[in-house]
Amino acid sequence: MSRNFLSLVGIAFATGAILAAARGQATPPSAPALADALSASSADPAQRARNVATFDAMWTTVRDSHWDPERVGASWDAVRAELLPKAESSTSRDELRAVLMDALARLGQSHFTIIPGELSTAAPGAAELREGRSGATLWFAPRAGDAGAWDAIVVSVESGSSAASAGIAPGMRVLRIGDRELGTMLPPGDGLERYQRASVAAALASGEPGTTATWRIEPLDGEPRDVDVTYEADTRPQAKFASLPPMPTELTSRRLDEKDLKRWGAADREIGIISFNIWLIPVARPFDQAIDSLRTADGIVIDLRGNPGGIGAMAMGIAGHFTAEPVSLGEMRTRDTTLSFVTNPRRSSTAGTAVEPYSGPVAILVDDASASTTEIFAGGMQHIGRAKVFGHRTAGAALPAMMTPLPNGDVFLHAFADYRLPDGTALEASGVRPDNAQPYDRATYAREGDPALAEAVRWIASSQHTPKPGPKDPQTTAP
């Protein structure tokens, strides 16, 4: 089963039911000039009627729930007038989806997409996210001196993975996987295109479990060579939310080992790192437990690279582990409601004992695949001065969204609100800008291995903090 749609959307749709529950179903407007469209279509009458109902359900939902009525005024009417006949004459689900996506693209915003009912549609020749994992994470960096060209750079390799066994390491360039040349046919631009390129990178690094592909890799100071990578089944725990299929959901925590601490100038410090890949309920208690085990640490790193978002309201509780008083991370505005995202200070451990929120330095790691709730959390924590952010600029896909079934069996994921930081700054398209001195390049990855973590560790080491006594657990792994 394909999970390609997950790479296209960051899913910050929690609190949507609360804010939209009172909104009733609107009646779609009557279709104009349907007779003209009938003559151009080979679809049967029942399919044409279903196509019209599907298009109008999508169109009307946007018209009635978009937070900015001006954006969906006369111009949105014009989109319907132009594209409804094309939708009505569509002879397949793929053809209809293409028309729907064309309409949604006119909005120029994230979190508006069609999730196929059977989760199996992909553009011809497009890289598709598969279930098998290589263990390597790729990032597309602009190719120096060649405008419009991109280099696929290895930015991380999981220990013990197939990629690691093949000798793939950070800083290497991947020239080809199988018969596919990398770095071509990528969307240019520095807005949401970053997220699109990250999605392609994730898809290219995946494969069918049990299959093997030949990767042509190029070390920083070496000649290209071919290595074989076997894709391994994803054994992470699965969690399900709303209409989405089960998704890998995992949180890990540990204290950094002495070797890395010494390498990065923090030999006399104890620094913990918590990583989780999606904002869903199964990670909430393990996060609380991880914080309990790291209360004596000199600093905590929260690794949210590749995290596409999830339940937006969770950001308030997670941030409450680090704020002694309620403080606003930003606010979400619908057409008629404003909801403040205010931290909830956590003064009780998982064992029920009284504690104070962690007061030491907090670093957050992000990249261009970090989206939605991740951006709400990272941007808010950065804005209130409670954390430093390291890595690559985030996706800029921060709009809260919800899902609505369509008459053709597909699901319409649509934003229903705008989100802004307390000072009014929008995260949509611009993303969260990290506190790095400069962007990381290929040479930095080859030298540091993980430059974002290295810079976070150095910053924590330079900070003054006296940890409070508390329980200590060297490592936690939880679903």
Side-chain angles (χ1 to χ4, degrees):
M1 180 179 66
S2 165
R3 296 200 315 271
N4 191 46
F5 74 92
L6 286 177
S7 67
L8 300 177
V9 293
I11 46 174
F13 39 67
T15 72
I18 298 173
L19 294 176
R23 185 176 290 119
Q25 294 291 327
T27 301
S30 58
L34 290 183
D36 291 343
L38 290 176
S39 61
S41 173
S42 60
D44 63 67
Q47 182 176 350
R48 290 200 304 270
R50 185 167 56 249
N51 290 349
V52 169
T54 299
F55 184 94
D56 270 339
M58 175 278 296
W59 185 89
T60 303
T61 297
V62 174
R63 184 197 64 184
D64 293 346
S65 66
H66 197 283
W67 62 94
D68 185 358
E70 292 185 3
R71 184 179 285 269
V72 290
S75 61
W76 193 234
D77 291 339
V79 168
R80 182 176 184 273
E82 175 189 348
L83 296 181
L84 180 62
K86 294 181 180 180
E88 194 237 356
S89 63
S90 298
T91 58
S92 69
R93 282 190 172 188
D94 284 351
E95 189 177 346
L96 176 60
R97 288 166 187 156
V99 177
L100 297 177
M101 291 301 294
D102 185 5
L104 296 173
R106 311 292 179 91
L107 295 171
Q109 295 170 324
S110 71
H111 291 67
F112 287 94
T113 195
I114 304 299
I115 300 174
E118 73 282 5
L119 307 178
S120 64
T121 299
E128 184 177 0
L129 187 65
R130 304 291 183 178
E131 299 289 342
R133 306 176 74 193
S134 64
T137 300
L138 305 181
W139 170 62
F140 283 112
R143 185 175 301 164
D146 191 355
W150 305 85
D151 285 329
I153 306 302
V154 178
V155 295
S156 71
V157 179
E158 295 179 24
S159 176
S161 67
S162 178
S165 298
I168 297 174
M172 289 183 173
R173 183 167 61 149
V174 181
L175 304 175
R176 177 186 297 131
I177 297 178
D179 58 1
R180 182 188 292 270
E181 299 284 344
L182 272 60
T184 61
M185 302 298 290
L186 290 171
D190 196 38
L192 288 171
E193 295 86 359
R194 294 191 312 280
Y195 195 26
Q196 295 169 2
R197 292 192 293 269
S199 299
V200 173
L204 289 171
S206 69
E208 294 295 342
T211 64
T212 299
T214 299
W215 289 36
R216 175 158 292 180
I217 58 175
E218 181 187 63
L220 185 64
D221 297 315
E223 295 298 318
R225 68 177 188 269
D226 291 342
V227 297
D228 289 336
V229 175
T230 299
Y231 300 101
E232 301 165 343
D234 192 339
T235 59
R236 292 175 294 177
Q238 303 271 316
K240 194 176 188 308
F241 183 79
S243 298
L244 294 174
M247 293 172 287
T249 304
E250 183 180 49
L251 179 145
T252 63
S253 69
R254 62 185 174 91
R255 290 175 185 258
L256 294 177
D257 59 38
E258 293 182 3
K259 178 181 177 182
D260 284 338
L261 290 173
K262 183 177 181 180
R263 175 187 180 190
W264 294 327
D268 60 339
R269 298 301 177 106
E270 289 191 356
I271 298 174
I273 180 168
I274 305 173
S275 306
F276 60 99
N277 68 316
I278 197 165
W279 293 77
L280 291 181
I281 295 300
V283 306
R285 183 167 178 81
F287 191 93
D288 298 343
Q289 294 169 331
I291 291 295
D292 284 343
S293 74
L294 296 173
R295 291 191 187 281
T296 62
D298 295 298
I300 294 177
V301 179
I302 304 174
D303 189 349
L304 299 176
R305 290 175 291 190
N307 188 319
I311 300 177
M314 286 180 64
M316 294 182 275
I318 296 296
H321 280 293
F322 310 104
T323 57
E325 300 295 333
V327 59
S328 174
L329 299 176
E331 65 179 26
M332 183 172 67
R333 179 176 61 86
T334 69
R335 185 172 294 190
D336 49 20
T337 307
T338 298
L339 175 66
S340 294
F341 276 58
V342 178
T343 65
N344 178 24
R346 311 291 288 274
R347 292 193 166 86
S348 178
S349 72
T350 53
T353 58
V355 295
E356 287 298 314
Y358 181 79
S359 60
V362 178
I364 301 173
L365 308 185
V366 297
D367 60 16
D368 46 11
S370 302
S372 202
T373 306
T374 294
E375 296 181 283
I376 289 173
F377 175 76
M381 290 282 284
Q382 181 190 53
H383 177 81
I384 65 176
R386 190 59 194 90
K388 290 283 190 180
V389 178
F390 300 97
H392 292 287
R393 186 150 54 106
T394 62
L399 300 182
M402 62 189 301
M403 291 177 289
T404 299
L406 295 175
N408 72 333
D410 288 346
V411 176
F412 178 29
L413 180 74
H414 56 96
F416 62 89
D418 190 16
Y419 186 86
R420 293 179 182 266
L421 296 175
D423 63 357
T425 299
L427 297 177
E428 180 69 7
S430 63
V432 178
R433 296 179 182 273
D435 295 300
N436 310 340
Q438 58 187 12
Y440 308 131
D441 57 18
R442 183 184 176 191
T444 308
Y445 280 104
R447 181 178 67 254
E448 297 275 19
D450 190 340
L453 180 57
E455 196 164 2
V457 167
R458 293 188 185 107
W459 171 71
I460 289 173
S462 68
S463 303
Q464 298 298 319
H465 170 57
T466 302
K468 300 178 186 295
K472 185 174 178 180
D473 180 5
Q475 183 163 339
T476 299
T477 301

